[in-house]
Amino acid sequence: MDKAVIFGVYEFVSFHACKTLLNKGVEVVGIHIDDIENNFFLEEKRLEIGRNANYSEQTLAELENYREEADVKTAFILSVYDLYVLNKEAILRKEKVIESIFHFLERNQNNIELILLLPIQMLGTNREIELTDFLNKVGSRVKNSPMFYLPAIYGPWQPKAFLFQQAIISKFQKQELRMANREWTNDVLYVEDAVASIFEILETRNYGDFPKSYLLKSGKKSYWTRCAAFLHIEEALVKSNTCEPLKVDNEIVEVSVNVTSIEDSITKQIEHVNRLFPTGL
């Protein structure tokens, strides 16, 4: 890809996707969504990527009227995962959001590829009908729309709704650990590993014959539980959340990601929290 437009750029996985692409020298346009990105560390995130000359930011209103140059291969990255795990997917049902995304895709459909990052729960039997309907409609407006299903994701900038981040913060602030209903516990990936795998697939695939759906996994038994044990999270709390069976059809390619060691990856997350703590977690 020559360029990427990232919806909700300051959300967790989206933000890491932006950083990875900038490091690769790709031009990135970040779409800032006021409704979902009102957090304490917005300015810190802006500073982290804003120094890069290849980065620019636009509002949702500006996206609707955005037209890409005809010869620029552009990816529109939409992380439904970030919205779903925080119970924010209702943003995708707002009329102004739907119109902005649809108009942008229709206006640029000849040189835009839609990349969808989805929660693994979308493969479950209880998937949300409204969210599935949105994905079908948005996918119909472009020629290519590869989908990447993600298990639980951890690492720097992980939201406090996740148990790993809560456990790390509790070392500094006394708080009760609570597992969110949407936290997946059957598998987990370090965010930098997951994002690197996504872009490796996109860069190396065969356009003439490539699948549209991928399921990323660690390939390691009880990996989420092993990570939780490293953080000394009580087993009883882990068992309080159950995960429904998945339906993985033959059209979905399962990809085992090259994983950073538990010690190294979680240490990076802990060090990141240490740096942010003085600013008011």
Side-chain angles (χ1 to χ4, degrees):
M1 71 184 73
D2 301 317
K3 192 173 184 177
V5 178
I6 303 180
F7 180 89
V9 68
Y10 296 111
E11 295 297 303
F12 179 37
V13 177
S14 295
F15 185 69
H16 281 275
C18 177
K19 288 176 57 180
T20 298
L21 289 174
L22 289 175
N23 289 336
K24 290 176 175 288
V26 176
E27 183 180 353
V28 177
V29 177
I31 306 302
H32 172 55
I33 315 297
D34 290 323
D35 293 350
I36 62 174
E37 292 169 349
N38 182 20
N39 61 67
F40 289 114
F41 301 113
L42 181 57
E43 291 310 313
E44 284 84 348
K45 289 179 177 179
R46 275 198 173 114
L47 287 172
E48 191 168 328
I49 59 177
R51 300 185 184 94
N52 194 305
N54 281 332
Y55 178 72
S56 61
E57 182 177 313
Q58 292 191 4
T59 64
L60 187 64
E62 290 173 319
L63 172 69
E64 185 172 354
N65 298 312
Y66 184 90
R67 184 179 292 277
E68 193 54 84
E69 297 177 22
D71 58 346
V72 177
K73 295 180 180 179
T74 303
F76 181 65
I77 301 175
L78 175 57
S79 177
V80 179
Y81 173 91
D82 285 326
L83 303 177
Y84 179 84
V85 296
L86 295 179
N87 290 280
K88 292 181 179 180
E89 73 275 9
I91 188 72
L92 298 176
R93 294 195 289 270
K94 291 190 174 183
E95 185 176 349
K96 66 176 182 179
V97 174
I98 293 174
E99 290 183 353
S100 294
I101 292 177
F102 284 5
H103 290 168
F104 168 77
L105 293 176
E106 289 169 352
R107 185 177 293 107
N108 299 280
Q109 59 182 292
N110 291 329
N111 59 319
I112 282 284
E113 180 174 43
L114 173 64
I115 299 171
L116 294 168
L117 310 183
L118 307 174
I120 197 170
Q121 289 92 330
M122 290 295 295
L123 292 174
T125 55
N126 296 323
R127 69 184 67 180
E128 295 192 20
I129 296 177
E130 289 186 359
L131 193 52
T132 301
D133 183 59
F134 168 82
L135 295 176
N136 290 336
K137 289 180 179 179
V138 76
S140 67
R141 283 165 167 78
V142 293
K143 296 178 180 179
N144 295 316
S145 55
M147 296 181 287
F148 294 86
Y149 293 93
L150 308 178
I153 304 292
Y154 70 98
W157 293 116
Q158 188 184 40
K160 287 196 289 185
F162 287 86
L163 200 56
F164 291 4
Q165 186 77 341
Q166 291 178 38
I168 294 170
I169 294 174
S170 69
K171 306 298 181 183
F172 306 96
Q173 292 182 347
K174 186 176 181 180
Q175 66 176 54
E176 181 182 359
L177 303 188
R178 293 186 178 183
M179 176 174 286
N181 291 334
R182 290 182 170 183
E183 182 159 4
W184 185 259
T185 59
N186 285 1
D187 196 15
V188 69
L189 290 171
Y190 181 52
V191 63
E192 293 181 6
D193 297 336
V195 169
S197 182
I198 289 170
F199 291 124
E200 181 181 1
I201 291 170
L202 291 172
E203 291 167 359
T204 60
R205 64 195 161 150
N206 183 344
Y207 275 88
D209 182 21
F210 69 88
K212 290 188 176 182
S213 299
Y214 304 85
L215 170 59
L216 302 191
K217 60 183 183 179
S218 69
K220 298 181 181 296
K221 186 177 181 179
S222 304
Y223 201 54
W224 190 98
T225 304
R226 289 164 56 188
C227 290
F230 185 87
L231 286 167
H232 306 290
I233 295 174
E234 295 181 4
E235 187 175 353
L237 184 58
V238 175
K239 290 183 178 180
S240 68
N241 193 39
T242 57
C243 298
E244 61 174 309
L246 302 179
K247 288 187 175 181
V248 183
D249 58 42
N250 294 331
E251 295 181 358
I252 298 177
V253 175
E254 299 186 42
V255 179
S256 292
V257 173
N258 291 325
V259 298
T260 303
S261 71
I262 293 175
E263 180 178 2
D264 288 347
S265 57
I266 292 183
T267 296
K268 288 182 180 179
Q269 185 168 343
I270 293 172
E271 290 174 346
H272 184 258
V273 170
N274 288 343
R275 290 194 297 272
L276 288 179
F277 192 78
T279 66
L281 272 170

